[in-house]
Each structure stands twice: as C-alpha cells, then as structure tokens.
Amino acid sequence: MKVGNLKKTACPTSRTSTISYPLQYRFQEPEEMRSQHAPLGFGFLSIILHLSHVTAAPVPITLDTSSYYRLTNDYTGSLQALGVRTDGSGRLGMVPADTSAGQYWQFVRLADGPEYAMRTKDLGDGFSLDVVNDNGVNSRSVHMATTGVYSGQYWTVTPWGDGSFQLTNDFTGASKHLDVYADTKEAMLDGGNHSGQHWRLTKIGPVVKTVPVPALTPVAANTWLHEGTTDYSIYPKAVGRLRAVMIFVDFADTPAQPGESTLDAGQQLTGHGSVSETYLKQSYGKLDLAIDIRADLKWRRMPANLKRPSFQTNAEHRAYISAAMALYSRSEIDFSTYNLVMVVPPKKCGVLGTSAFATGVAGTGIVTPGGEVRLAVTFGEWSYTERPTTAVHEIGHTLGLPDLYPIPGTPGDFASWKAGSWDLMSDTFVAQSFTSWHRHKLGWLSADRKTWVKAPAAAGSAASVTLSPLDGNNGVSMLVMDLRNSAKVLVAEVVQQMKGKDGTLWGEGILIYTVDSRIPTGEQPIAVVPKATGVSDNYDALWKAPWGLGDTAVYTEGGTTVKVKVVRRLENAWSVEVSYVS
C-alpha cells in the first residue's frame, strides 16, 4: 500500500501540547462494611481524586548526522540490532548484530524541524523508514520506502530518561513508538511504554559518501563531440536558461502552401512544449530551454540562388543558416541574445532531415546584423513525421553530446547499434531518456547520485550499491566501475523504459554499458553489455539487454574482469554487488 500519504504539513498531532492527567483511585471496602451499607444501596466506597497538572514534553535530541548508528532495544538486548530484511520486502526486524550494511543507520536532519529521516547504508538516500498506511494514524506496520516528503518519514528521537530513546513519527503521532513484536521481533509501532520501545543508539562509524567520478582522458581527436568532458568554449553549459529562437523560411519553387501555419509548424516540431519539458525533467530542473517561436514573422523567402542543402558539408550547412538569419533585421530578432537558432522550412521543401550545427569558439560563428550565432538546428520534411524527440536529440548535439548510432550506417540495420535504443542520442524512435552518463556529462546528476568503484589491488568484492531510478530525486542512480583504463569505464543504472512504436512501454532491471572517450561521434562511444541480443520491430535494437534479479553480468577489458550481480529489488530500485575477478 502507499505509505505516508499525508504531507509533512499535515502532522496529525503536536508533541508540545500540555497534558492534563485525571487520576482515579478506588478503595475496596471490607466485606462487613459492604453488608452494613447494603440497605442504603452502596456496595463500596469510591473516592475519586482529580489531579490536573502541566507536564513539559521531553526535548528531542540532536544526533550526529555524520555517523552511522546501531539500534538495539532493551527487550531483545545488545546482541540484536535493527536491520532491513534482504528479501526485497523492505520490512525490518531484530537480527544478530554484525557489520551488515542494513544495520548501519543514518539519521538525516530534515530542514523544517527536529525530525530526521532514517536511512541505511545499504539502501542509501533512496529509501527511508516509513509507515505502511493501512489504517490511517492507527497504522502499525513500518518498512523502508522510496524517500519522499511524507510525514511517516519524519522521525523524532526523544529521551525516555533512562539513557534510552523513543522513536516516533509525524504520521502516527507522539503516542506511537517504534517497537518490535515479542515473537517475530519484526519492527512495528505501538503505544505504551514497553522495553521494545527503549532504543539504544551506538555510533559504529562515519557515514560513507559517494566517490567522485573521474574525468575520462584522453578524448577523441578531430571532433568536439565525444564522451569526455564537454568543451565549454564551444558549447554552453547545460544549466540555467538556454534561449532558442525559431524562424521560418520557404523557397520560390517550394513555397509554404496556402494556409500552412508557422505557428502550427512550430508547435508540432517542439511537441507543443514537450521538447522543453523533456530537458527540464531530465535535468531535474537545472536546464530551462526557452524556445521563442517567431510565428508572428511568418514565412520568409530564401534567396533564389541558394542551393538546396543536403548537409553533407559544414560549409553548405553554414550557408543555409546564414541566408536564413539574414532575412531578419536586428529590430525584428536580436540573435545575439540567443544561444541557439532553429530554422524551419515548410512540409514540402526538398530539405529532408533534421540536423545540428556548431561552428566552434567565439569569433567563428555566423555573423548577421543581429549578432553572431554558433549553434543551430535545422529541420526538414522528415521532421514533420518524426517524434518531437528528434528535436531533443539535435539540441543534445548543441550541448556537446555525440551520436551513439553508427555513421554511416545502413537504414534499419539496428543489429549493429551497440547502444541499442536506450538513449535519445542513439534512437529517437523509441528512446525516451538520456542515460545516466549523459546526465552526468551535462552536469545534471548531483554528486550524491553517482559513485565510482575503483578496481582493487587484488581480486575480490569491491562494492554493494542500491541503484535508484534516474527519474527520482534521491539515491545513487549511476554506478561507474574502474576498468584500469583512464579513457574507458563500465556503467550500471536502473533501466529507463523505452516506448515502442505501438505506444507500449518496455524494460526493467539493470542496464550495463561501457563508455569510451577516445571514440568519436558516430563510431559508437557507448556500447551496451547485453544479457541477450536481438532486434524487435517494435522496440528496435538490444531490447533484451537489461539484467534481472539473480543475473550476473561479466565484462572483461584487457586484463580486468568485472562481475555485476543483481541481488535484490525493492520497489523500483535494484541492488547490485560488484566484484573483480582479476
């Protein structure tokens, strides 16, 4: 069931309210006194004393958020610790105390009060202790659930007064404490004051942070588009506001048809806002792509002597964009205020595909009365029949992302596509997302959402990581593994579903692939390590690539062999164990 569906602001109780305690005392009479009073109808004497007083609420304590804690209670003793079950249920219970990561608890201070989120080392920031909301504020079950702004994940630690602490949450209130069942030792919530509610918190080590991912070097020669660090002297940083302007041109021999609307064309090619929305969502709100569709300026006629571009050469592409921009005065469009220009022809124009254009560093761009432009996207006839993700793909090039599919390639030969259909820079027909590596390259993945595993000096286990979905807001979502090669790494992430040509969604599990910064655009710098190969008419290339629960992927690079075993699934997150054979 959905957990903690009350927001933090809907806290059902207050911990600071004063309390009035009516106390009743009953005195039992001796048998002879009851017989004496029987004729009067009094069976016993009852004396009631009402005592009202105000009791100050215990003050919640402040915990060290840089340390892990072991949680034991007075019922099961110091040899039993609170741990997360490894069966994928998310349930918790008392287990023999050891060094298992599921027994390492971190208290993460929440911004708006003395409450903490309770998380474990093995599940990371993607999961927090929460209440199973099966009976409202009277719910008793707890489990680890996807981190979110839910009152059941807001925990307060308050002294009992004997050196132990009570753990309560904002959803079920201050009267329900974290406790354990007497028989199963499973964690639950209960009222009263029982020994299973008296928790002892023992520091057991510093909180482990994610490890920064090193830059890949060297990068491919003779190209700006590669999987190494983006050159920001050529491309803009993919954060903040990126301004684009869309202009409309036609030709004397293929003019726009009567009634062919520039506004309709602009809306269609930008997916009625979905192109900008894709960047906003994929970047976690870091990139605001603002496209000014200048439909008000209508179709502008290109020079009669302009050769129809096939975009086979940079010079041909440059001439086409330059001629289009020259049709507008500075008073109409000040191109210097934009990062990107989009040129749109009519549906029937003789210009076929969609293509990106970049000139290089400042001073090498197209100079017009309205300023210099170094980045552009040009549309063609095919653009009107393709998904708006085609525009997302081409804009990706203007941010420094390379093509992942083979160039030149045979149309429809998806069997040769090493990246499959798992990234928008590979397949715009069914892909819906950027891989974690591309989100990392563009500066969208924060440091706590990606980590690096260095190859150990000797063979053996290297790491256990729980990978959270990329479209979430918490938890590690990119695992990068050392191949003892400064230009090449192995990456694992939770699969992002593709959308088939029939509209159905496909894909779950772990996607594993290599990234090589020495391989240029069009030569497949990302290569998926698939569980199974194959091409689908609906999902295109490598649709069976994901690894599932219990699977082990093995990859060898030179003298280094890495094993990635999928050991657990919890909700939409997957835990993997990484080991090096050599």
Side-chain angles (χ1 to χ4, degrees), residues 488-524:
K488 190 172 184 179
V489 292
L490 187 67
V491 179
E493 65 187 53
V494 175
V495 163
Q496 301 174 86
Q497 289 187 316
M498 59 177 71
K499 187 174 185 180
K501 295 164 188 174
D502 64 356
T504 58
L505 298 177
W506 169 262
E508 69 172 22
I510 294 294
L511 184 70
I512 300 175
Y513 55 90
T514 60
V515 182
D516 194 328
S517 63
R518 298 164 298 182
I519 301 176
T521 182
E523 295 185 22
Q524 309 193 91

Short mmCIF file of all heavy atoms in Angstrom, two decimals, residues 488-524:
data_model
loop_
_atom_site.label_atom_id
_atom_site.label_comp_id
_atom_site.label_asym_id
_atom_site.label_seq_id
_atom_site.Cartn_x
_atom_site.Cartn_y
_atom_site.Cartn_z
N LYS A 488 38.15 4.67 -20.39
CA LYS A 488 37.01 3.77 -20.55
C LYS A 488 36.52 3.27 -19.20
O LYS A 488 37.32 2.92 -18.33
CB LYS A 488 37.39 2.58 -21.43
CG LYS A 488 36.23 1.71 -21.86
CD LYS A 488 36.68 0.66 -22.88
CE LYS A 488 35.51 -0.16 -23.39
NZ LYS A 488 35.93 -1.16 -24.41
N VAL A 489 35.19 3.24 -19.03
CA VAL A 489 34.59 2.79 -17.78
C VAL A 489 33.39 1.89 -18.08
O VAL A 489 32.87 1.86 -19.20
CB VAL A 489 34.13 3.98 -16.91
CG1 VAL A 489 35.31 4.77 -16.40
CG2 VAL A 489 33.16 4.89 -17.68
N LEU A 490 32.98 1.17 -17.05
CA LEU A 490 31.76 0.36 -17.09
C LEU A 490 30.73 1.05 -16.22
O LEU A 490 31.04 1.49 -15.10
CB LEU A 490 32.05 -1.05 -16.57
CG LEU A 490 30.94 -2.09 -16.70
CD1 LEU A 490 30.68 -2.43 -18.17
CD2 LEU A 490 31.30 -3.36 -15.93
N VAL A 491 29.49 1.17 -16.72
CA VAL A 491 28.44 1.92 -16.02
C VAL A 491 27.22 1.02 -15.82
O VAL A 491 26.87 0.23 -16.70
CB VAL A 491 28.03 3.18 -16.82
CG1 VAL A 491 26.92 3.95 -16.09
CG2 VAL A 491 29.24 4.09 -17.04
N ALA A 492 26.59 1.15 -14.64
CA ALA A 492 25.34 0.43 -14.38
C ALA A 492 24.31 1.43 -13.88
O ALA A 492 24.63 2.35 -13.12
CB ALA A 492 25.55 -0.67 -13.34
N GLU A 493 23.06 1.24 -14.30
CA GLU A 493 21.96 2.11 -13.89
C GLU A 493 20.65 1.34 -13.99
O GLU A 493 20.58 0.29 -14.66
CB GLU A 493 21.88 3.35 -14.78
CG GLU A 493 21.54 3.03 -16.23
CD GLU A 493 21.64 4.24 -17.15
OE1 GLU A 493 22.70 4.91 -17.16
OE2 GLU A 493 20.65 4.52 -17.85
N VAL A 494 19.63 1.83 -13.33
CA VAL A 494 18.30 1.25 -13.46
C VAL A 494 17.76 1.58 -14.85
O VAL A 494 17.87 2.73 -15.32
CB VAL A 494 17.34 1.78 -12.38
CG1 VAL A 494 15.93 1.25 -12.60
CG2 VAL A 494 17.85 1.38 -11.00
N VAL A 495 17.20 0.59 -15.52
CA VAL A 495 16.67 0.78 -16.87
C VAL A 495 15.61 1.87 -16.89
O VAL A 495 14.73 1.95 -16.02
CB VAL A 495 16.06 -0.55 -17.38
CG1 VAL A 495 15.15 -0.31 -18.58
CG2 VAL A 495 17.16 -1.53 -17.74
N GLN A 496 15.70 2.73 -17.91
CA GLN A 496 14.64 3.69 -18.20
C GLN A 496 13.84 3.13 -19.37
O GLN A 496 14.40 2.81 -20.41
CB GLN A 496 15.23 5.04 -18.56
CG GLN A 496 16.09 5.64 -17.45
CD GLN A 496 16.76 6.90 -17.91
OE1 GLN A 496 16.20 7.99 -17.83
NE2 GLN A 496 17.97 6.78 -18.42
N GLN A 497 12.56 3.03 -19.19
CA GLN A 497 11.75 2.36 -20.19
C GLN A 497 11.75 3.09 -21.53
O GLN A 497 11.75 4.32 -21.59
CB GLN A 497 10.31 2.22 -19.69
CG GLN A 497 10.15 1.21 -18.56
CD GLN A 497 8.70 0.98 -18.20
OE1 GLN A 497 7.92 1.91 -18.08
NE2 GLN A 497 8.34 -0.28 -18.02
N MET A 498 11.75 2.29 -22.60
CA MET A 498 11.57 2.83 -23.94
C MET A 498 10.08 2.73 -24.29
O MET A 498 9.32 2.00 -23.65
CB MET A 498 12.42 2.05 -24.94
CG MET A 498 12.10 0.58 -25.02
SD MET A 498 13.07 -0.29 -26.31
CE MET A 498 14.71 -0.28 -25.61
N LYS A 499 9.70 3.48 -25.29
CA LYS A 499 8.30 3.49 -25.74
C LYS A 499 8.23 2.92 -27.14
O LYS A 499 8.76 3.48 -28.08
CB LYS A 499 7.73 4.91 -25.71
CG LYS A 499 6.23 4.98 -25.99
CD LYS A 499 5.74 6.41 -25.79
CE LYS A 499 4.23 6.50 -25.94
NZ LYS A 499 3.76 7.90 -25.74
N GLY A 500 7.59 1.75 -27.25
CA GLY A 500 7.51 1.08 -28.53
C GLY A 500 6.74 1.88 -29.56
O GLY A 500 6.01 2.82 -29.24
N LYS A 501 6.87 1.48 -30.80
CA LYS A 501 6.19 2.19 -31.89
C LYS A 501 4.67 2.05 -31.79
O LYS A 501 3.94 2.83 -32.40
CB LYS A 501 6.71 1.67 -33.23
CG LYS A 501 8.19 2.02 -33.42
CD LYS A 501 8.85 1.21 -34.53
CE LYS A 501 10.34 1.45 -34.55
NZ LYS A 501 11.05 0.59 -35.51
N ASP A 502 4.23 1.04 -31.00
CA ASP A 502 2.80 0.89 -30.77
C ASP A 502 2.34 1.59 -29.50
O ASP A 502 1.19 1.46 -29.07
CB ASP A 502 2.41 -0.59 -30.71
CG ASP A 502 3.05 -1.31 -29.54
OD1 ASP A 502 3.85 -0.68 -28.81
OD2 ASP A 502 2.75 -2.50 -29.34
N GLY A 503 3.26 2.33 -28.87
CA GLY A 503 2.92 3.09 -27.68
C GLY A 503 3.12 2.36 -26.36
O GLY A 503 2.96 2.95 -25.30
N THR A 504 3.49 1.07 -26.40
CA THR A 504 3.69 0.31 -25.17
C THR A 504 5.07 0.59 -24.58
O THR A 504 6.03 0.88 -25.30
CB THR A 504 3.55 -1.19 -25.42
OG1 THR A 504 4.50 -1.60 -26.42
CG2 THR A 504 2.14 -1.53 -25.89
N LEU A 505 5.16 0.50 -23.24
CA LEU A 505 6.42 0.73 -22.55
C LEU A 505 7.12 -0.60 -22.31
O LEU A 505 6.47 -1.63 -22.09
CB LEU A 505 6.17 1.44 -21.22
CG LEU A 505 5.54 2.83 -21.32
CD1 LEU A 505 5.29 3.39 -19.92
CD2 LEU A 505 6.43 3.78 -22.12
N TRP A 506 8.45 -0.55 -22.31
CA TRP A 506 9.21 -1.79 -22.18
C TRP A 506 10.50 -1.54 -21.41
O TRP A 506 11.15 -0.51 -21.57
CB TRP A 506 9.58 -2.36 -23.55
CG TRP A 506 10.56 -3.48 -23.50
CD1 TRP A 506 11.92 -3.40 -23.69
CD2 TRP A 506 10.29 -4.84 -23.17
NE1 TRP A 506 12.50 -4.63 -23.54
CE2 TRP A 506 11.52 -5.54 -23.21
CE3 TRP A 506 9.12 -5.55 -22.86
CZ2 TRP A 506 11.61 -6.91 -22.94
CZ3 TRP A 506 9.22 -6.91 -22.59
CH2 TRP A 506 10.45 -7.57 -22.64
N GLY A 507 10.85 -2.52 -20.58
CA GLY A 507 12.16 -2.51 -19.96
C GLY A 507 12.13 -2.39 -18.46
O GLY A 507 11.50 -1.49 -17.91
N GLU A 508 12.82 -3.33 -17.75
CA GLU A 508 13.06 -3.21 -16.32
C GLU A 508 14.31 -3.99 -15.99
O GLU A 508 14.72 -4.90 -16.70
CB GLU A 508 11.88 -3.72 -15.50
CG GLU A 508 11.65 -5.22 -15.54
CD GLU A 508 10.60 -5.67 -14.55
OE1 GLU A 508 9.77 -4.83 -14.14
OE2 GLU A 508 10.60 -6.86 -14.19
N GLY A 509 14.94 -3.60 -14.89
CA GLY A 509 16.16 -4.25 -14.48
C GLY A 509 17.34 -3.29 -14.48
O GLY A 509 17.18 -2.09 -14.28
N ILE A 510 18.52 -3.82 -14.73
CA ILE A 510 19.75 -3.03 -14.72
C ILE A 510 20.34 -2.99 -16.13
O ILE A 510 20.51 -4.03 -16.78
CB ILE A 510 20.78 -3.63 -13.75
CG1 ILE A 510 20.26 -3.52 -12.30
CG2 ILE A 510 22.13 -2.94 -13.88
CD1 ILE A 510 20.16 -2.09 -11.80
N LEU A 511 20.66 -1.78 -16.59
CA LEU A 511 21.34 -1.59 -17.88
C LEU A 511 22.82 -1.39 -17.59
O LEU A 511 23.20 -0.58 -16.74
CB LEU A 511 20.78 -0.37 -18.60
CG LEU A 511 21.34 -0.12 -20.02
CD1 LEU A 511 20.82 -1.19 -20.98
CD2 LEU A 511 20.94 1.27 -20.51
N ILE A 512 23.67 -2.14 -18.30
CA ILE A 512 25.11 -2.06 -18.13
C ILE A 512 25.75 -1.74 -19.47
O ILE A 512 25.39 -2.33 -20.49
CB ILE A 512 25.67 -3.39 -17.57
CG1 ILE A 512 25.04 -3.69 -16.21
CG2 ILE A 512 27.19 -3.33 -17.45
CD1 ILE A 512 25.43 -5.04 -15.64
N TYR A 513 26.68 -0.78 -19.48
CA TYR A 513 27.32 -0.38 -20.74
C TYR A 513 28.70 0.21 -20.47
O TYR A 513 29.02 0.60 -19.34
CB TYR A 513 26.45 0.63 -21.48
CG TYR A 513 26.08 1.86 -20.69
CD1 TYR A 513 26.86 3.01 -20.70
CD2 TYR A 513 24.90 1.89 -19.95
CE1 TYR A 513 26.50 4.16 -20.00
CE2 TYR A 513 24.52 3.02 -19.24
CZ TYR A 513 25.33 4.14 -19.26
OH TYR A 513 24.96 5.26 -18.55
N THR A 514 29.50 0.24 -21.52
CA THR A 514 30.82 0.88 -21.44
C THR A 514 30.76 2.25 -22.09
O THR A 514 29.94 2.52 -22.98
CB THR A 514 31.90 0.04 -22.14
OG1 THR A 514 31.56 -0.11 -23.53
CG2 THR A 514 32.02 -1.33 -21.51
N VAL A 515 31.65 3.12 -21.63
CA VAL A 515 31.81 4.46 -22.19
C VAL A 515 33.28 4.66 -22.50
O VAL A 515 34.13 4.44 -21.62
CB VAL A 515 31.33 5.55 -21.22
CG1 VAL A 515 31.45 6.93 -21.87
CG2 VAL A 515 29.89 5.31 -20.77
N ASP A 516 33.59 5.09 -23.73
CA ASP A 516 34.99 5.27 -24.15
C ASP A 516 35.14 6.66 -24.75
O ASP A 516 34.56 6.97 -25.79
CB ASP A 516 35.36 4.20 -25.17
CG ASP A 516 36.87 4.12 -25.40
OD1 ASP A 516 37.54 5.16 -25.30
OD2 ASP A 516 37.36 3.01 -25.70
N SER A 517 35.91 7.51 -24.09
CA SER A 517 36.07 8.90 -24.53
C SER A 517 36.94 9.03 -25.77
O SER A 517 36.96 10.08 -26.42
CB SER A 517 36.67 9.75 -23.40
OG SER A 517 37.97 9.29 -23.07
N ARG A 518 37.65 7.98 -26.15
CA ARG A 518 38.53 8.05 -27.34
C ARG A 518 37.75 7.83 -28.63
O ARG A 518 38.27 8.10 -29.72
CB ARG A 518 39.63 6.99 -27.22
CG ARG A 518 40.54 7.16 -26.02
CD ARG A 518 41.33 5.90 -25.75
NE ARG A 518 40.45 4.76 -25.43
CZ ARG A 518 40.88 3.55 -25.11
NH1 ARG A 518 42.19 3.32 -25.04
NH2 ARG A 518 40.02 2.58 -24.85
N ILE A 519 36.52 7.33 -28.52
CA ILE A 519 35.73 7.03 -29.71
C ILE A 519 34.86 8.24 -30.05
O ILE A 519 34.09 8.71 -29.22
CB ILE A 519 34.84 5.80 -29.48
CG1 ILE A 519 35.72 4.58 -29.14
CG2 ILE A 519 33.98 5.52 -30.69
CD1 ILE A 519 34.94 3.33 -28.80
N PRO A 520 34.96 8.77 -31.26
CA PRO A 520 34.22 9.98 -31.62
C PRO A 520 32.77 9.71 -31.95
O PRO A 520 32.32 8.56 -32.05
CB PRO A 520 34.98 10.49 -32.86
CG PRO A 520 35.49 9.24 -33.50
CD PRO A 520 35.85 8.33 -32.36
N THR A 521 32.04 10.77 -32.12
CA THR A 521 30.63 10.71 -32.51
C THR A 521 30.47 9.87 -33.78
O THR A 521 31.29 9.90 -34.69
CB THR A 521 30.09 12.13 -32.74
OG1 THR A 521 28.69 12.05 -33.07
CG2 THR A 521 30.82 12.85 -33.86
N GLY A 522 29.40 9.09 -33.82
CA GLY A 522 29.11 8.29 -34.99
C GLY A 522 29.85 6.97 -35.06
O GLY A 522 29.59 6.16 -35.96
N GLU A 523 30.78 6.74 -34.11
CA GLU A 523 31.52 5.48 -34.08
C GLU A 523 31.21 4.65 -32.82
O GLU A 523 31.97 3.78 -32.44
CB GLU A 523 33.03 5.75 -34.22
CG GLU A 523 33.39 6.34 -35.58
CD GLU A 523 34.89 6.51 -35.77
OE1 GLU A 523 35.65 5.80 -35.06
OE2 GLU A 523 35.30 7.33 -36.61
N GLN A 524 30.09 4.99 -32.17
CA GLN A 524 29.52 4.24 -31.07
C GLN A 524 30.39 4.25 -29.80
O GLN A 524 30.91 3.21 -29.38
CB GLN A 524 29.19 2.82 -31.51
CG GLN A 524 28.35 2.79 -32.79
CD GLN A 524 27.74 1.45 -33.08
OE1 GLN A 524 26.65 1.15 -32.67
NE2 GLN A 524 28.49 0.63 -33.83
#
